[in-house]
Amino acid sequence: MSTEPDAQNAAAESQTPQLPTTPCSVVWSGGHSFVLEGSAGARWAGVDDRGRARFLTDADLHRRGWSLTRA
C-alpha cells in the first residue's frame, strides 16, 4: 500500500506549527529572538549577530526555522 505524494505533503503541512499571531509574541530563530510587531501586515523584529535590526516575514521564519523556546 503506497501513499500518494499529495497526501504526504498535506499531512506534513498540517503538522507544521503555526506562528503566533498575537502582537508582542516572541519566537526564536537562528539563536535570536524575534518579536511580532503589529497585527495587519505584521513583521517579526529582531537583531542579527552584529546587533543590527533585522525584520522577517512569516515566510522568512518558516524558511529559516523557528521555535517557541530558545534552542
Side-chain angles (χ1 to χ4, degrees), residues 3-4 7-8 11 17-18 21 24-25 27 29-30 34-36 40-41 43-45 49 52-53 55-56 60 66 69:
T3 305
E4 294 180 24
Q8 289 174 344
Q18 297 297 314
T21 57
C24 299
S25 295
V27 298
S29 179
F34 289 87
V35 178
L36 183 60
R43 62 183 181 172
W44 295 89
D49 291 335
R52 297 175 295 199
F55 300 97
L56 302 175
D60 292 332
W66 63 274
T69 59

Side-chain angles (χ1 to χ4, degrees), residues 30 32 47-52:
H32 298 281
V47 295
D48 65 11
D49 291 335
R50 294 184 179 191
R52 297 175 295 199

Side-chain angles (χ1 to χ4, degrees), residues 48-70:
D48 65 11
D49 291 335
R50 294 184 179 191
R52 297 175 295 199
R54 179 91 192 251
F55 300 97
L56 302 175
T57 64
D58 288 358
D60 292 332
L61 282 172
H62 282 293
R63 207 172 17 258
R64 292 169 45 107
W66 63 274
S67 170
L68 291 174
T69 59
R70 187 175 187 175

